[in-house]
Amino acid sequence: MKRTFLLFGLAMLTLTSFSRIDSDKKYIKKTTIEVQSNDGEKLIAKSDCVGCHKLDKKLIGPAYLDIAKKYPNTDKNINSLADKVIKGGSGVWGTMPMSAHSSLKKEDAKSMVKYILSLKK
C-alpha cells in the first residue's frame, strides 16, 4: 500500500513538473463595444412610432429604410418630415393616415427624422 502511494505521488510529481505555469501571461479583458445610439433613435423607441413602423418591414406605415430611400437627407426634407410627424398626414404611402403627434417638440421630431434618414445605405 505504501508502495502504491509512493508510486502515485512520484507519478503526480513527474506530471506536474511538465506543466508550465506562465505567470507573465497577460490576460485581455473582454469588453463589448456599445454602439452609441443617437437621440432620435431613443425618442422613437420611447414613442408610439413602433406600433406602425419597423426598421425594415412595412406595418401600418412604411419601413424606416423605405423612408430613408425615398427622401434625401436635406434640411428641407428634415423640416418637412418633422412637420408631417407633428401634424400627421396621409396619401404619400397609401390611404392609411398617420396620426398627429402634436405634443412632440419640433426639435425632437427633427432628431427622429434625422435618425431615420441616416439609415439610407
Side-chain angles (χ1 to χ4, degrees):
M1 184 78 169
K2 289 182 182 181
R3 185 181 270 177
T4 305
F5 281 121
L6 181 62
L7 288 174
F8 181 72
L10 190 56
M12 291 301 291
L13 183 61
T14 305
L15 289 174
T16 57
S17 66
F18 288 116
S19 68
R20 181 174 172 211
I21 298 175
D22 192 1
S23 61
D24 294 334
K25 192 180 230 180
K26 294 182 181 177
Y27 294 96
I28 299 172
K29 183 179 178 184
K30 291 184 179 181
T31 58
T32 57
I33 298 173
E34 186 175 320
V35 177
Q36 195 81 15
S37 62
N38 68 20
D39 293 335
E41 185 179 13
K42 291 176 185 175
L43 289 168
I44 288 172
K46 291 178 184 177
S47 72
D48 64 345
C49 300
V50 295
C52 297
H53 301 277
K54 292 281 184 199
L55 178 67
D56 57 350
K57 293 181 184 174
K58 178 184 179 354
L59 286 179
I60 296 170
Y64 295 137
L65 291 175
D66 292 336
I67 297 169
K69 288 177 189 173
K70 183 171 183 156
Y71 296 99
N73 194 350
T74 64
D75 287 337
K76 181 180 176 185
N77 285 336
I78 291 169
N79 286 322
S80 171
L81 292 171
D83 287 339
K84 184 168 261 194
V85 168
I86 293 170
K87 295 175 185 173
S90 66
V92 178
W93 296 95
T95 57
M96 183 62 73
M98 180 172 70
S99 60
H101 299 86
S102 56
S103 63
L104 194 61
K105 296 177 189 173
K106 174 85 173 189
E107 287 305 312
D108 290 344
K110 285 173 73 173
S111 180
M112 295 163 102
V113 170
K114 285 179 187 177
Y115 165 70
I116 292 168
L117 297 184
S118 74
L119 297 172
K120 185 175 184 177
K121 292 180 181 180

